[in-house]
Amino acid sequence: MPQSKKSSPKTTAAGLFAPYSKRTFLQKMEIKHKLKSVDYLVRVHLLPQDLALAIKDENDRLYDTAKLYSFLIESNLLWRVWSIDTYGRVWVEINFVNDDDEEEFHTLMLDPGTYKEVEYDTYQVLET
């Protein structure tokens, strides 16, 4: 009777086990990044001063960032924190389909004082 060949776990470029690993995505991320628990969502309500100037000039290097920040404000939505960096700054992830029907994926650091923390269930975020 022929012996079946056991396949060994494969590793990806990031060194994570796949596809045989039963770890969740966040558990895999914990291998490279520390996770932090947060218990709030953010509501962005104020455009930082530098972006308020940049949004008036399409040639400004911060124009695209200003438009994205404005989108968060105008949406009036509550956003999940994506990451908290080593300086304690909050980052959010923004994904949408633009006017040209193309997917866009962004992360944006929020300036202190431009958002309000809204109490929510505890969840895990990256601590980078």
Side-chain angles (χ1 to χ4, degrees), residues 49-69:
Q49 187 175 8
D50 58 340
L51 298 182
L53 294 173
I55 205 162
K56 297 174 185 175
D57 179 7
E58 288 185 25
N59 296 317
D60 192 296
R61 66 181 179 81
L62 295 174
Y63 179 77
D64 291 337
T65 302
K67 291 292 285 182
L68 195 57
Y69 221 105

Side-chain angles (χ1 to χ4, degrees), residues 37-101:
S37 295
V38 296
D39 60 356
Y40 60 89
L41 301 173
V42 294
R43 182 170 109 10
V44 183
H45 59 84
L46 182 65
L47 191 63
Q49 187 175 8
D50 58 340
L51 298 182
L53 294 173
I55 205 162
K56 297 174 185 175
D57 179 7
E58 288 185 25
N59 296 317
D60 192 296
R61 66 181 179 81
L62 295 174
Y63 179 77
D64 291 337
T65 302
K67 291 292 285 182
L68 195 57
Y69 221 105
S70 291
F71 172 76
L72 294 179
I73 295 167
E74 292 167 7
S75 75
N76 209 30
L77 296 173
L78 302 176
W79 296 87
R80 286 177 66 106
V81 173
W82 175 72
S83 175
I84 298 178
D85 66 21
T86 55
Y87 301 103
R89 296 177 299 206
V90 170
W91 291 72
V92 294
E93 179 179 36
I94 306 120
N95 305 314
F96 59 91
V97 176
N98 65 24
D99 294 337
D100 296 326
D101 204 34

